[in-house]
């Protein structure tokens, strides 16, 4: 196969784009997609301070790599979930990357904030581990950004992640989740920082290829709790559709963002309060994170 | 040829002298779900891998939620 740009030997075929690229032209294609995402949704101002949430996986480290090279003032945020060897190894990958790129990294332990690591939270709540884990991550990202004075958090969500989330929301017609599914979420309260997903135009195969070709040492092993997660099942279904019809995921997600999402946008904004205990933003009196911390305290 | 699979890491031997595409079909792996690594670079599905060679098929899927 030949590179679409230069005619040299291709390293990667992108069926949905009906193209193949050599290494340098693929890296440029990738960076262009990130630039286009940032431009289209006005995600970041030139040179802005950005907190990049990193997990040690391919997506978040690829994102950090691109944002550094694009000239943003980045700091990594690693949330130590306390998930056995997986957390130990993923943290080491983030530290090694930060050292190699001479970029600052903040490490924050979920257990310090909530009283127990993710596996214990899972047992206490008797809910799927990803539910307590996801809630803690969103809360701690925002809190860390506020504490360290960052106006925006960037996460490594890719096209496959976004398509799978959309698929899950649509399967259950979670109409309150649909307006919030966006590559960029504006700040709707002084204590909520912006959230952006600059990789939403790139598939996870593309982010994996980018990380590999950039010689980024990322963790290939999965979180042990990922197995059987519904989002993974949805990804597998979408992979079959993509195989039968290249571009299916792209059309599903981009069609939603362009045509359907505005129809679900709320007319009335929800009232936001500050949590009576921690001061973070919530729709109730006590935020979900503080409630979870109470539950953990009672059980341990 | 030797094929390295991941999660967990293991190796299988399959007949070489074939295109990557045919090897993937044999192993029932969708081409879009893996990177095909040979040495320090990636190869496309139309490449032929000969008997003495090793390739790694690295899954690209990640994550549970958020
Ligand atoms: S798979 Fe679930 S438990 Fe594991 S890190 Fe992701 S959200 Fe957390
Ligand atoms: Zn080229
Ligand atoms: Zn609170």
């Amino acid at each position: 196969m030949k590179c679409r740009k230069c005619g040299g030997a291709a390293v990667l075929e992108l069926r949905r784009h009906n193209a193949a690229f050599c290494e340098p032209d693929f890296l440029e294609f990738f960076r262009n997609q990130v630039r286009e995402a940032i431009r289209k949704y006005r995600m970041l101002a030139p040179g802005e301070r950005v907190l990049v949430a990193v997990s040690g996986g391919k997506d978040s480290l690829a994102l950090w790599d691109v944002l550094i090279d694009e000239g943003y003032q980045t700091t990594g945020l690693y949330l130590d979930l306390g998930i056995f060897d997986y957390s130990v190894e993923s943290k080491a990958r983030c530290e090694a990357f930060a050292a190699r790129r001479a970029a600052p990294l903040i490490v924050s332990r979920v257990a310090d904030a909530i009283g127990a690591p993710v596996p214990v939270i899972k047992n206490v709540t008797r809910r799927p581990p990803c539910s307590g884990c996801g809630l803690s991550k969103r809360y701690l990202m925002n809190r860390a950004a506020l504490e360290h004075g960052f106006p925006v958090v960037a996460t490594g969500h890719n096209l496959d992640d976004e398509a799978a989330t959309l698929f899950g929301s649509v399967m259950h017609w979670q109409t309150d989740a649909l307006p919030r599914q966006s590559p960029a979420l504006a700040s709707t309260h002084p204590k909520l920082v912006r959230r952006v997903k600059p990789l939403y135009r790139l598939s996870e195969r593309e982010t994996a290829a980018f990380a590999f070709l950039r010689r980024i040492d990322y963790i290939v092993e999965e979180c042990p709790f990922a197995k059987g997660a519904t989002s993974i099942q949805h990804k597998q279904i979408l992979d079959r559709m993509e195989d039968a019809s290249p571009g299916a995921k792209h059309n599903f997600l981009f069609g939603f963002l362009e045509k359907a999402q505005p129809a679900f946008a709320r007319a009335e904004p929800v009232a936001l309060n500050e949590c009576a205990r921690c001061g973070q933003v919530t729709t109730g009196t006590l935020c979900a994170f503080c409630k979870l911390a109470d539950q953990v305290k009672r059980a341990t | 040829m030797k094929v390295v699979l991941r999660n967990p890491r293991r190796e299988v031997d399959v007949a070489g002298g074939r295109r990557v595409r045919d090897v993937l079909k044999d192993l029932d792996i969708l081409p879009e779900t893996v990177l095909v690594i040979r040495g320090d670079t990636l190869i496309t599905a139309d490449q032929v891998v000969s008997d003495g060679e090793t390739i790694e098929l690295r899954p690209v899927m990640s994550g549970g939620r958020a």
Side-chain angles (χ1 to χ4, degrees):
Chain A
M1 237 170 263
K2 291 201 161 65
C3 170
R4 176 165 87 178
K5 274 293 226 0
C6 71
V11 293
L12 196 71
E13 182 187 13
L14 306 182
R15 283 174 74 208
R16 75 195 165 93
H17 289 292
N18 217 340
F21 291 110
C22 68
E23 177 169 330
D25 285 320
F26 171 71
L27 297 178
E28 192 51 23
F29 161 86
F30 191 93
R31 294 191 178 107
N32 278 333
Q33 291 294 325
V34 175
R35 288 181 197 126
E36 172 64 9
I38 292 173
R39 188 199 61 77
K40 197 169 166 118
Y41 284 88
R42 295 169 206 236
M43 292 181 177
L44 307 169
E48 194 169 32
R49 295 188 71 221
V50 188
L51 189 61
V52 186
V54 289
S55 67
K58 65 192 194 306
D59 305 299
S60 55
L61 291 181
L63 172 63
W64 198 5
D65 189 71
V66 176
L67 293 182
I68 291 172
D69 289 336
E70 291 293 308
Y72 296 99
Q73 290 185 56
T74 63
T75 293
L77 171 67
Y78 177 79
L79 296 174
D80 185 341
L81 308 167
I83 306 179
F84 320 116
D85 287 354
Y86 168 73
S87 287
V88 175
E89 282 173 32
S90 57
K91 180 168 161 236
R93 302 287 156 76
C94 293
E95 288 171 338
F97 180 89
R100 194 176 117 190
R101 299 292 325 243
L105 176 71
I106 298 169
V107 175
S108 164
R109 290 179 56 215
V110 167
D112 291 340
I114 206 161
V118 166
V120 174
I121 297 174
K122 162 192 161 264
N123 293 337
V124 165
T125 57
R126 297 203 210 94
R127 303 214 29 213
C130 301
S131 118
C133 181
L135 181 140
S136 307
K137 283 196 273 195
R138 282 189 299 276
Y139 175 92
L140 292 170
M141 276 175 207
N142 188 70
R143 200 171 84 180
L146 286 175
E147 281 170 6
H148 294 90
F150 289 90
V152 56
V153 174
T155 58
H157 293 87
N158 57 44
L159 198 161
D160 293 71
D161 297 326
E162 294 298 283
T165 302
L166 177 61
F167 188 74
S169 301
V170 168
M171 285 304 283
H172 298 101
W173 288 115
Q174 289 166 334
T175 48
D176 53 334
L178 292 174
R180 281 184 287 116
Q181 168 140 16
S182 171
L185 287 174
S187 166
T188 50
H189 185 282
K191 283 192 163 179
L192 278 181
V193 303
R194 278 149 50 217
R195 277 194 287 152
V196 298
K197 302 167 181 169
L199 301 185
Y200 86 96
R201 307 177 65 83
L202 292 151
S203 74
E204 54 191 358
R205 184 154 165 275
E206 289 153 18
T207 64
F210 183 87
F212 177 83
L213 294 170
R214 290 282 298 149
R215 315 288 188 269
I216 294 171
D217 181 21
Y218 65 90
I219 184 159
V220 177
E221 286 68 39
E222 274 302 320
C223 166
F225 294 131
K227 222 176 183 167
T230 33
S231 56
I232 299 274
Q233 294 170 16
H234 291 157
K235 279 187 173 179
Q236 288 165 341
I237 293 166
L238 292 170
D239 279 342
R240 297 245 156 239
M241 293 174 62
E242 184 75 22
D243 186 59
S245 155
K249 289 178 206 171
H250 178 112
N251 294 339
F252 178 53
L253 179 67
F254 284 48
F256 166 76
L257 292 174
E258 277 153 33
K259 297 178 200 153
Q261 202 233 24
F264 290 98
R266 246 183 256 264
E268 291 284 297
V270 267
L272 296 175
N273 316 311
E274 290 181 18
C275 170
R277 180 162 331 141
C278 71
Q280 293 284 300
V281 175
T282 174
T283 48
T285 3
L286 211 57
C287 78
F289 185 83
C290 286
K291 283 184 195 159
L292 185 58
D294 279 349
Q295 211 181 340
V296 168
K297 196 181 285 167
R298 278 196 302 274
T300 50
Chain B
M1 62 182 281
K2 204 181 280 172
V3 179
V4 178
L5 302 165
R6 302 293 294 259
N7 299 343
R9 193 187 176 98
R10 59 213 187 276
E11 288 181 9
V12 294
D13 272 307
V14 299
R18 294 186 294 165
R19 288 172 192 273
V20 170
R21 182 176 293 128
D22 302 320
V23 175
L24 290 171
K25 194 170 279 173
D26 239 22
L27 296 169
D28 202 17
I29 294 172
L30 297 178
E32 290 279 312
T33 63
V34 288
L35 292 182
V36 184
I37 301 172
R38 184 169 63 189
D40 64 355
T41 193
L42 302 175
I43 56 174
T44 50
D46 61 337
Q47 294 281 306
V48 174
V49 183
S50 51
D51 253 323
E53 289 186 300
T54 299
I55 57 170
E56 177 184 336
L57 301 177
R58 185 182 292 185
V60 299
M61 192 182 288
S62 60
R65 190 153 292 249

